[in-house]
Amino acid sequence: MTNDPRFQALDGLPTEELRQRAFSTARHHGDIRFFVDLLRHLPAASDTERLDNSTGDIGLAVDDAVALWREFTGHGLGDAEPVLRASFIDYLLKHEAVEH
């Protein structure tokens, strides 16, 4: 895949531009699964796995999701950046025609 010119074009972009393009594409397709999968890659996501989906945990789950979203869109991706970057590129290769 590394010889694919589309991959090379995407890989040359900054992570923030990849994020913006992937988010735009996912919004266009109404692909909520993309966003859920990304949230699972964030460090704090492991904390939400302990929730048992009871109604008492809904408020906590919403708070955790908002915190994760703020962390994710705050562009401080830290150690998760390589995995998220790969997710953005993979998603764009599958769903967007690269125009460069």
Side-chain angles (χ1 to χ4, degrees):
M1 178 187 306
T2 57
N3 292 331
D4 181 342
R6 295 182 326 126
F7 173 84
Q8 292 175 353
L10 290 169
D11 194 40
L13 297 174
T15 301
E16 177 56 18
E17 185 170 341
L18 290 171
R19 184 194 68 78
Q20 289 175 0
R21 289 173 69 167
F23 276 34
S24 176
T25 301
R27 280 192 303 269
H28 176 74
H29 291 289
D31 191 353
I32 191 75
R33 185 180 303 170
F34 169 75
F35 294 107
V36 171
D37 288 343
L38 288 179
L39 288 174
R40 290 184 179 149
H41 291 298
L42 294 173
S46 61
D47 294 339
T48 62
E49 291 175 2
R50 64 180 154 66
L51 299 177
D52 64 6
N53 295 324
S54 69
T55 56
D57 287 331
I58 290 174
L60 180 59
V62 169
D63 290 345
D64 286 345
V66 169
L68 287 170
W69 187 257
R70 286 185 180 150
E71 178 182 338
F72 186 67
T73 58
H75 317 301
L77 304 177
D79 293 339
E81 183 171 358
V83 172
L84 293 169
R85 183 177 171 80
S87 295
F88 298 151
I89 291 172
D90 184 56
Y91 188 78
L92 291 169
L93 286 172
K94 291 178 182 174
H95 296 93
E96 179 187 71
V98 178
E99 300 172 3
H100 287 277

